[in-house]
Coordinates of all heavy atoms in Angstrom, one line a residue:
K27 N -17.6 12.3 -42.2 CA -18.5 13.3 -41.7 C -19.7 13.4 -42.6 O -20.8 13.6 -42.1 CB -17.8 14.7 -41.6 CG -18.6 15.7 -40.9 CD -17.7 16.9 -40.6 CE -18.4 18.0 -39.7 NZ -17.5 19.2 -39.4
K28 N -19.5 13.3 -43.9 CA -20.7 13.2 -44.8 C -21.5 12.0 -44.8 O -22.7 12.0 -45.0 CB -20.2 13.5 -46.3 CG -19.5 14.9 -46.4 CD -18.9 15.0 -47.8 CE -18.2 16.4 -47.9 NZ -17.5 16.5 -49.3
A29 N -20.8 10.9 -44.6 CA -21.5 9.5 -44.7 C -21.0 8.7 -43.4 O -20.1 7.9 -43.5 CB -21.0 8.8 -46.0
P30 N -21.6 9.0 -42.3 CA -21.1 8.5 -41.0 C -21.0 7.0 -40.8 O -20.2 6.5 -40.0 CB -22.0 9.1 -39.9 CG -22.7 10.2 -40.6 CD -22.8 9.9 -42.0
Y31 N -21.9 6.3 -41.6 CA -22.0 4.8 -41.4 C -21.4 4.1 -42.6 O -21.8 2.9 -42.8 CB -23.4 4.5 -41.1 CG -24.0 5.2 -40.0 CD1 -25.0 6.2 -40.3 CD2 -23.6 5.2 -38.7 CE1 -25.5 7.0 -39.2 CE2 -24.0 6.0 -37.6 CZ -25.0 6.9 -38.0 OH -25.5 7.7 -37.0
S32 N -20.6 4.7 -43.5 CA -20.3 4.1 -44.7 C -19.0 3.1 -44.5 O -18.8 2.3 -45.3 CB -19.8 5.1 -45.7 OG -18.7 6.0 -45.1
Q33 N -18.4 3.2 -43.4 CA -17.3 2.2 -43.0 C -17.6 1.4 -41.8 O -18.2 2.0 -40.7 CB -16.0 3.0 -42.8 CG -15.5 3.9 -43.9 CD -14.4 3.2 -44.7 OE1 -13.9 2.1 -44.3 NE2 -14.1 3.8 -45.8
R34 N -17.6 0.1 -41.9 CA -18.0 -0.7 -40.8 C -16.9 -1.8 -40.4 O -17.3 -3.0 -40.4 CB -19.3 -1.4 -41.1 CG -20.4 -0.4 -41.5 CD -21.0 0.2 -40.3 NE -21.9 -0.7 -39.5 CZ -22.6 -0.4 -38.5 NH1 -22.6 0.8 -38.0 NH2 -23.4 -1.2 -37.8
P35 N -15.7 -1.4 -40.1 CA -14.7 -2.4 -39.9 C -14.9 -3.3 -38.7 O -14.3 -4.4 -38.5 CB -13.4 -1.6 -39.8 CG -13.8 -0.3 -39.3 CD -15.2 0.0 -40.0
F36 N -15.7 -2.8 -37.7 CA -15.9 -3.5 -36.5 C -17.2 -4.3 -36.5 O -17.7 -4.6 -35.4 CB -15.8 -2.6 -35.3 CG -14.4 -1.8 -35.2 CD1 -14.3 -0.6 -35.0 CD2 -13.3 -2.7 -35.4 CE1 -13.1 0.1 -34.9 CE2 -12.0 -2.0 -35.3 CZ -12.0 -0.6 -35.0
E37 N -17.9 -4.4 -37.7 CA -19.1 -5.2 -37.8 C -18.8 -6.6 -37.2 O -17.9 -7.2 -37.4 CB -19.5 -5.3 -39.2 CG -21.0 -5.6 -39.4 CD -21.8 -4.4 -39.2 OE1 -21.9 -3.6 -40.1 OE2 -22.6 -4.4 -38.2
G38 N -19.8 -7.1 -36.5 CA -19.7 -8.4 -35.9 C -20.7 -8.6 -34.8 O -21.5 -9.5 -34.8
P39 N -20.6 -7.8 -33.7 CA -19.7 -6.6 -33.6 C -18.3 -7.0 -32.9 O -18.3 -7.9 -32.1 CB -20.4 -5.6 -32.7 CG -21.2 -6.6 -31.8 CD -21.6 -7.7 -32.6
K40 N -17.2 -6.3 -33.2 CA -16.0 -6.4 -32.5 C -16.0 -5.4 -31.4 O -16.7 -4.4 -31.5 CB -14.9 -6.3 -33.5 CG -14.8 -7.3 -34.5 CD -13.6 -7.0 -35.5 CE -13.5 -8.0 -36.7 NZ -12.5 -7.7 -37.6
T41 N -15.1 -5.6 -30.4 CA -15.0 -4.7 -29.3 C -13.7 -3.9 -29.3 O -12.7 -4.5 -29.7 CB -15.1 -5.5 -27.9 OG1 -16.4 -6.1 -27.9 CG2 -15.0 -4.6 -26.8
V42 N -13.8 -2.6 -28.9 CA -12.6 -1.8 -28.8 C -12.5 -1.4 -27.4 O -13.5 -0.7 -26.8 CB -12.7 -0.6 -29.8 CG1 -11.5 0.4 -29.6 CG2 -12.7 -1.0 -31.2
A43 N -11.3 -1.6 -26.7 CA -11.1 -1.1 -25.3 C -10.7 0.3 -25.3 O -9.8 0.7 -26.0 CB -10.0 -2.0 -24.7
L44 N -11.5 1.1 -24.5 CA -11.2 2.5 -24.3 C -10.7 2.7 -22.8 O -11.6 2.6 -21.9 CB -12.5 3.4 -24.6 CG -13.1 3.1 -26.0 CD1 -14.3 3.9 -26.1 CD2 -12.1 3.3 -27.1
I45 N -9.5 2.9 -22.5 CA -9.0 2.8 -21.2 C -8.7 4.4 -20.8 O -8.0 5.1 -21.5 CB -7.6 2.1 -21.1 CG1 -7.9 0.7 -21.6 CG2 -7.2 2.1 -19.6 CD1 -6.6 -0.1 -21.7
F46 N -9.2 4.7 -19.6 CA -9.1 6.1 -19.1 C -8.4 6.2 -17.7 O -8.9 5.7 -16.8 CB -10.4 6.8 -19.1 CG -11.1 7.0 -20.4 CD1 -11.9 6.0 -21.0 CD2 -10.8 8.1 -21.2 CE1 -12.5 6.2 -22.2 CE2 -11.3 8.3 -22.4 CZ -12.2 7.4 -22.9
D47 N -7.1 6.7 -17.8 CA -6.4 7.1 -16.5 C -6.9 8.5 -16.1 O -6.8 8.8 -14.8 CB -5.0 6.9 -16.6 CG -4.5 5.6 -16.9 OD1 -5.3 4.6 -16.7 OD2 -3.3 5.5 -17.4
K48 N -7.2 9.4 -17.0 CA -7.6 10.7 -16.8 C -9.1 10.9 -17.1 O -9.6 10.2 -18.0 CB -6.7 11.7 -17.7 CG -5.2 11.7 -17.3 CD -4.6 12.7 -18.1 CE -3.1 13.0 -17.7 NZ -2.5 14.0 -18.4
T49 N -9.7 11.9 -16.4 CA -11.0 12.2 -16.7 C -11.2 12.7 -18.2 O -10.2 13.2 -18.7 CB -11.6 13.3 -15.7 OG1 -10.7 14.5 -15.8 CG2 -11.6 12.8 -14.3
S50 N -12.4 12.6 -18.7 CA -12.5 13.0 -20.1 C -14.0 13.2 -20.5 O -14.9 12.6 -19.9 CB -12.1 11.8 -21.0 OG -12.3 12.0 -22.3
T51 N -14.2 14.2 -21.3 CA -15.5 14.3 -21.9 C -15.4 14.1 -23.5 O -16.0 13.1 -23.9 CB -16.1 15.8 -21.7 OG1 -16.2 16.0 -20.3 CG2 -17.4 15.9 -22.4
R52 N -14.7 15.0 -24.1 CA -14.6 14.8 -25.6 C -14.0 13.5 -26.1 O -14.6 12.9 -27.0 CB -13.8 16.0 -26.2 CG -14.7 17.2 -26.4 CD -13.8 18.5 -26.3 NE -13.1 18.7 -25.1 CZ -13.7 19.1 -23.9 NH1 -15.0 19.6 -24.1 NH2 -13.1 19.3 -22.8
T53 N -13.0 13.1 -25.4 CA -12.3 11.9 -25.8 C -13.2 10.6 -25.6 O -13.4 9.8 -26.5 CB -11.0 11.6 -25.1 OG1 -10.1 12.8 -25.4 CG2 -10.3 10.3 -25.5
R54 N -13.8 10.5 -24.5 CA -14.6 9.4 -24.1 C -15.9 9.4 -25.0 O -16.2 8.4 -25.6 CB -15.1 9.6 -22.7 CG -15.8 8.3 -22.1 CD -16.3 8.6 -20.7 NE -15.2 8.6 -19.9 CZ -14.9 7.8 -18.8 NH1 -15.6 6.8 -18.7 NH2 -13.9 8.0 -18.0
V55 N -16.5 10.5 -25.3 CA -17.8 10.6 -26.1 C -17.4 10.2 -27.5 O -18.0 9.4 -28.2 CB -18.5 11.8 -25.9 CG1 -19.7 11.9 -27.0 CG2 -19.0 11.9 -24.5
S56 N -16.4 10.9 -28.0 CA -16.1 10.7 -29.5 C -15.6 9.4 -29.9 O -16.0 8.7 -30.9 CB -15.1 11.8 -30.0 OG -13.8 11.6 -29.2
F57 N -14.8 8.7 -29.0 CA -14.4 7.4 -29.3 C -15.5 6.4 -29.1 O -15.6 5.4 -29.9 CB -13.1 7.0 -28.4 CG -11.8 7.2 -29.1 CD1 -10.9 8.2 -28.6 CD2 -11.4 6.5 -30.2 CE1 -9.7 8.4 -29.4 CE2 -10.2 6.6 -30.9 CZ -9.3 7.7 -30.4
A58 N -16.3 6.5 -28.1 CA -17.4 5.5 -27.8 C -18.4 5.7 -28.9 O -18.8 4.6 -29.4 CB -18.1 6.0 -26.5
V59 N -18.7 6.9 -29.3 CA -19.7 7.0 -30.5 C -19.0 6.5 -31.8 O -19.7 5.8 -32.6 CB -20.1 8.4 -30.6 CG1 -21.0 8.7 -31.9 CG2 -20.9 8.9 -29.4
G60 N -17.7 6.8 -32.0 CA -17.1 6.4 -33.2 C -17.0 4.9 -33.4 O -17.3 4.4 -34.5
V61 N -16.7 4.2 -32.3 CA -16.6 2.8 -32.4 C -18.0 2.2 -32.8 O -18.1 1.3 -33.6 CB -16.1 2.2 -31.1 CG1 -16.2 0.6 -31.1 CG2 -14.7 2.5 -30.9
A62 N -19.0 2.7 -32.1 CA -20.4 2.3 -32.4 C -20.7 2.6 -33.8 O -21.3 1.7 -34.6 CB -21.4 2.9 -31.5
D63 N -20.5 3.7 -34.3 CA -20.7 4.1 -35.8 C -20.0 3.1 -36.7 O -20.5 2.8 -37.8 CB -20.2 5.5 -36.1 CG -21.1 6.6 -35.6 OD1 -22.2 6.3 -34.9 OD2 -20.8 7.8 -35.7
L64 N -18.8 2.7 -36.3 CA -18.1 1.7 -37.2 C -18.6 0.3 -37.0 O -17.8 -0.7 -37.5 CB -16.6 1.9 -36.9 CG -16.0 3.3 -37.2 CD1 -14.5 3.3 -36.7 CD2 -16.1 3.6 -38.7
G65 N -19.6 0.0 -36.3 CA -20.2 -1.4 -36.1 C -19.7 -2.1 -34.9 O -20.1 -3.2 -34.8
G66 N -18.9 -1.4 -34.1 CA -18.3 -2.2 -33.0 C -18.9 -1.8 -31.6 O -19.9 -1.0 -31.5
V67 N -18.4 -2.4 -30.6 CA -18.9 -2.2 -29.2 C -17.7 -1.5 -28.4 O -16.7 -2.1 -28.3 CB -19.2 -3.4 -28.5 CG1 -19.5 -3.2 -27.0 CG2 -20.5 -4.1 -29.2
P68 N -17.9 -0.3 -27.9 CA -16.9 0.4 -27.1 C -16.9 -0.1 -25.6 O -18.0 -0.2 -25.0 CB -17.4 1.8 -27.1 CG -18.8 1.9 -27.3 CD -19.1 0.6 -28.1
L69 N -15.7 -0.7 -25.1 CA -15.7 -1.2 -23.8 C -14.9 -0.1 -23.0 O -13.6 0.0 -23.1 CB -15.0 -2.5 -23.8 CG -14.6 -3.1 -22.4 CD1 -15.9 -3.4 -21.6 CD2 -13.7 -4.4 -22.6
I70 N -15.5 0.7 -22.2 CA -14.9 1.7 -21.4 C -14.3 1.2 -20.1 O -15.1 0.6 -19.3 CB -15.9 2.9 -21.2 CG1 -16.2 3.5 -22.5 CG2 -15.2 3.9 -20.3 CD1 -17.3 4.6 -22.4
I71 N -13.1 1.4 -19.9 CA -12.4 0.9 -18.7 C -11.8 2.0 -17.9 O -10.9 2.7 -18.5 CB -11.3 -0.2 -19.1 CG1 -11.9 -1.3 -19.9 CG2 -10.6 -0.7 -17.8 CD1 -10.8 -2.2 -20.5
D72 N -12.2 2.2 -16.8 CA -11.6 3.3 -15.9 C -10.4 2.5 -15.2 O -10.7 1.5 -14.4 CB -12.6 3.8 -14.8 CG -13.5 4.8 -15.5 OD1 -13.0 5.6 -16.3 OD2 -14.7 4.6 -15.3
S73 N -9.2 2.9 -15.3 CA -8.1 2.2 -14.9 C -8.1 2.0 -13.3 O -7.6 1.1 -12.7 CB -6.7 2.9 -15.2 OG -6.7 4.2 -14.7
Q74 N -8.8 2.9 -12.7 CA -8.9 2.8 -11.2 C -9.7 1.6 -10.7 O -9.6 1.2 -9.6 CB -9.6 4.1 -10.6 CG -8.8 5.4 -10.8 CD -9.1 6.1 -12.1 OE1 -9.7 5.5 -13.0 NE2 -8.6 7.3 -12.3
T75 N -10.5 1.1 -11.6 CA -11.3 0.0 -11.3 C -10.9 -1.3 -11.9 O -11.5 -2.3 -11.9 CB -12.8 0.2 -11.6 OG1 -12.8 0.5 -13.0 CG2 -13.4 1.4 -10.9
S76 N -9.6 -1.2 -12.5 CA -8.9 -2.5 -13.1 C -7.8 -2.8 -12.4 O -7.3 -2.1 -11.6 CB -8.8 -2.2 -14.6 OG -7.7 -1.3 -14.8
Q77 N -7.1 -3.9 -12.8 CA -5.9 -4.4 -12.2 C -4.6 -3.7 -12.9 O -3.5 -3.8 -12.3 CB -5.7 -5.9 -12.4 CG -6.9 -6.7 -11.9 CD -7.0 -6.9 -10.4 OE1 -6.3 -6.0 -9.6 NE2 -7.7 -7.8 -9.9
M78 N -4.9 -3.0 -14.0 CA -3.7 -2.5 -14.7 C -2.9 -1.5 -14.0 O -3.4 -0.5 -13.4 CB -4.2 -1.8 -16.1 CG -3.1 -1.5 -17.0 SD -3.7 -0.8 -18.5 CE -4.3 0.8 -18.1
G79 N -1.6 -1.7 -14.1 CA -0.6 -0.9 -13.4 C -0.5 -1.1 -11.9 O 0.3 -0.4 -11.3
G80 N -1.4 -1.9 -11.3 CA -1.4 -2.1 -9.9 C -1.0 -3.6 -9.7 O 0.3 -3.9 -9.5
K81 N -2.0 -4.5 -9.7 CA -1.6 -5.9 -9.5 C -1.2 -6.5 -10.8 O -0.5 -7.6 -10.7 CB -2.9 -6.6 -9.0 CG -3.3 -6.2 -7.6 CD -4.6 -6.9 -7.2 CE -5.0 -6.6 -5.9 NZ -6.3 -7.3 -5.4
E82 N -1.4 -5.8 -11.9 CA -1.0 -6.5 -13.2 C -0.2 -5.4 -14.0 O -0.5 -4.3 -14.1 CB -2.2 -6.9 -13.9 CG -1.9 -7.7 -15.2 CD -3.2 -8.4 -15.7 OE1 -4.2 -7.8 -15.9 OE2 -3.2 -9.7 -15.8
S83 N 0.8 -5.8 -14.7 CA 1.7 -5.0 -15.5 C 1.0 -4.5 -16.8 O 0.0 -5.2 -17.2 CB 3.0 -5.7 -15.9 OG 2.7 -6.8 -16.8
V84 N 1.4 -3.5 -17.4 CA 1.0 -3.1 -18.6 C 1.1 -4.1 -19.7 O 0.2 -4.4 -20.5 CB 1.5 -1.7 -19.1 CG1 1.2 -1.3 -20.5 CG2 1.2 -0.5 -18.0
A85 N 2.3 -4.7 -19.7 CA 2.6 -5.8 -20.8 C 1.5 -6.9 -20.6 O 1.0 -7.4 -21.6 CB 3.9 -6.4 -20.6
D86 N 1.3 -7.4 -19.4 CA 0.4 -8.5 -19.1 C -1.0 -8.1 -19.5 O -1.8 -8.9 -20.1 CB 0.4 -9.0 -17.8 CG 1.6 -9.8 -17.4 OD1 2.4 -10.1 -18.4 OD2 1.9 -10.1 -16.3
T87 N -1.4 -6.9 -19.3 CA -2.7 -6.3 -19.7 C -3.0 -6.3 -21.2 O -4.0 -6.7 -21.6 CB -3.0 -4.9 -19.1 OG1 -2.8 -4.9 -17.7 CG2 -4.3 -4.4 -19.5
A88 N -1.9 -6.0 -21.9 CA -1.9 -6.0 -23.2 C -2.2 -7.4 -23.8 O -2.9 -7.6 -24.7 CB -0.6 -5.4 -23.9
R89 N -1.5 -8.3 -23.2 CA -1.6 -9.8 -23.6 C -3.0 -10.3 -23.3 O -3.5 -11.2 -24.1 CB -0.5 -10.6 -23.0 CG 0.9 -10.3 -23.3 CD 1.9 -11.1 -22.6 NE 3.2 -10.7 -23.0 CZ 4.1 -10.2 -22.1 NH1 3.7 -9.9 -20.9 NH2 5.3 -9.8 -22.5
V90 N -3.7 -9.8 -22.3 CA -5.1 -10.2 -22.1 C -6.0 -9.6 -23.1 O -6.8 -10.2 -23.7 CB -5.4 -9.8 -20.7 CG1 -6.9 -10.0 -20.4 CG2 -4.7 -10.6 -19.6
L91 N -5.8 -8.2 -23.3 CA -6.8 -7.5 -24.2 C -6.5 -7.9 -25.6 O -7.7 -8.0 -26.3 CB -6.4 -6.0 -24.0 CG -6.9 -5.4 -22.7 CD1 -6.5 -3.9 -22.6 CD2 -8.3 -5.5 -22.4
E92 N -5.4 -8.1 -26.1 CA -5.2 -8.4 -27.5 C -6.1 -9.6 -28.0 O -6.3 -9.8 -29.2 CB -3.8 -8.6 -27.9 CG -3.2 -9.8 -27.3 CD -1.8 -10.1 -27.8 OE1 -1.2 -9.4 -28.5 OE2 -1.2 -11.2 -27.3

Side-chain angles (χ1 to χ4, degrees):
K27 189 170 185 176
K28 297 174 182 175
Y31 311 110
S32 58
Q33 300 262 350
R34 305 281 286 180
F36 300 133
E37 198 81 73
K40 298 177 182 178
T41 299
V42 175
L44 310 177
I45 307 171
F46 293 91
D47 293 344
K48 293 186 174 185
T49 56
S50 169
T51 298
R52 279 154 297 280
T53 299
R54 187 180 295 245
V55 172
S56 59
F57 265 112
V59 173
V61 169
D63 284 356
L64 297 173
V67 173
L69 173 63
I70 296 176
I71 304 170
D72 288 313
S73 61
Q74 296 87 346
T75 59
S76 75
Q77 307 282 19
M78 189 176 73
K81 295 181 180 179
E82 190 165 56
S83 69
V84 172
D86 286 354
T87 300
R89 296 182 183 109
V90 170
L91 291 177
E92 69 174 358

